Amino acid sequence: GFDPEDFEVSLGGVERDSDRMRLLYSGVFYDAQRPESFLAGLGRAIDRQPEIRGRLSADFIGLVPESFDRNVAELSLGDVVTYHGYESHANTVARLVGADVLWMTIGEQRGAEGISTGKLYEYFGSRRPILGLVPQGVARNDLKRYGAATVVDPDDVDAIAEAILRLFGRWFSGTLPKPDEAFVESFSRKRLTGD
């Protein structure tokens, strides 16, 4: 679940750039949760539509793998990707709410169908559109029920690129999806505790 009070934040400390679609990842990468497929998909999306390079950014908060900087450089994404390091929970929540699209991944691994990360419910609490790179299972099902998620297989770079381009088109036209409010509220910790 998520704590509703955490999301009653002021965006005063977060710069909102109306000229760029901001994609954001918050958390730690480990095991099969890796950024490589997302970064490759982002690079491929820009290769397909070079004009979007200056119109989107990908921010990372938390901890990234040692190979992260090398991967970003190899894909020529240094002007698109920003790594902010570890931040306080309050700052992270403000960034979640200030982003245009959040993304998450659960890599293909044994038992992946039963993995549902804590991050997913914080993302729900932000009420932002989500790009979910997840296999079949509980997380994918919840993302679909959320109503504002684009879901693709975690290692399908072409599908990730297409999803980024579709989301960019919707951002540009001001038609990014809104979540199902009743579904979001079902994960409020106040409600869960009451239940």
Side-chain angles (χ1 to χ4, degrees):
F2 67 91
D3 289 316
E5 293 82 4
D6 290 349
F7 292 89
E8 295 168 4
V9 297
S10 163
L11 294 180
V14 177
E15 277 187 43
R16 191 109 193 215
D17 188 347
S18 61
D19 292 333
R20 282 181 181 246
M21 180 179 83
R22 181 169 291 165
L23 293 146
L24 181 115
Y25 180 92
S26 166
V28 177
F29 291 102
Y30 57 90
D31 296 333
Q33 276 79 270
R34 312 282 305 163
E36 288 86 356
S37 293
F38 171 81
L39 291 171
L42 180 62
R44 197 165 293 178
I46 292 170
D47 287 346
R48 290 180 184 166
Q49 292 187 22
E51 66 276 11
I52 71 171
R53 178 176 284 278
R55 301 298 308 275
L56 60 80
S57 64
D59 293 354
F60 290 76
I61 300 168
L63 300 175
V64 296
E66 288 181 19
S67 60
F68 183 79
D69 289 337
R70 185 178 70 247
N71 290 338
V72 169
E74 287 171 355
L75 292 163
S76 302
L77 293 173
D79 59 332
V80 177
V81 172
T82 304
Y83 173 48
H84 298 276
Y86 188 84
E87 294 195 354
S88 71
H89 186 253
N91 285 353
T92 299
V93 168
R95 287 192 188 275
L96 292 177
V97 174
D100 295 297
V101 176
L102 308 176
W103 78 272
M104 63 165 296
T105 185
I106 296 173
E108 295 283 0
Q109 60 187 305
R110 171 179 263 174
E113 68 280 354
I115 295 175
S116 182
T117 69
K119 168 203 328 294
L120 181 59
Y121 305 102
E122 289 262 294
Y123 279 19
F124 289 167
S126 76
R127 294 167 170 81
R128 307 305 304 148
I130 300 171
L131 171 59
L133 314 183
V134 297
Q136 296 294 332
V138 65
R140 182 178 279 233
N141 294 341
D142 280 348
L143 282 162
K144 287 180 177 178
R145 291 174 58 208
Y146 177 61
T150 301
V151 183
V152 298
D153 289 334
D155 297 318
D156 188 337
V157 173
D158 276 329
I160 295 167
E162 286 303 315
I164 290 169
L165 292 173
R166 280 195 313 276
L167 286 163
F168 180 85
R170 294 195 70 177
W171 168 81
F172 189 77
S173 66
T175 60
L176 282 171
K178 304 284 187 206
D180 178 326
E181 190 61 31
F183 179 75
V184 171
E185 281 299 318
S186 73
F187 293 102
S188 159
R189 288 205 176 113
K190 275 188 175 176
R191 168 130 179 220
L192 290 169
T193 302
D195 290 347

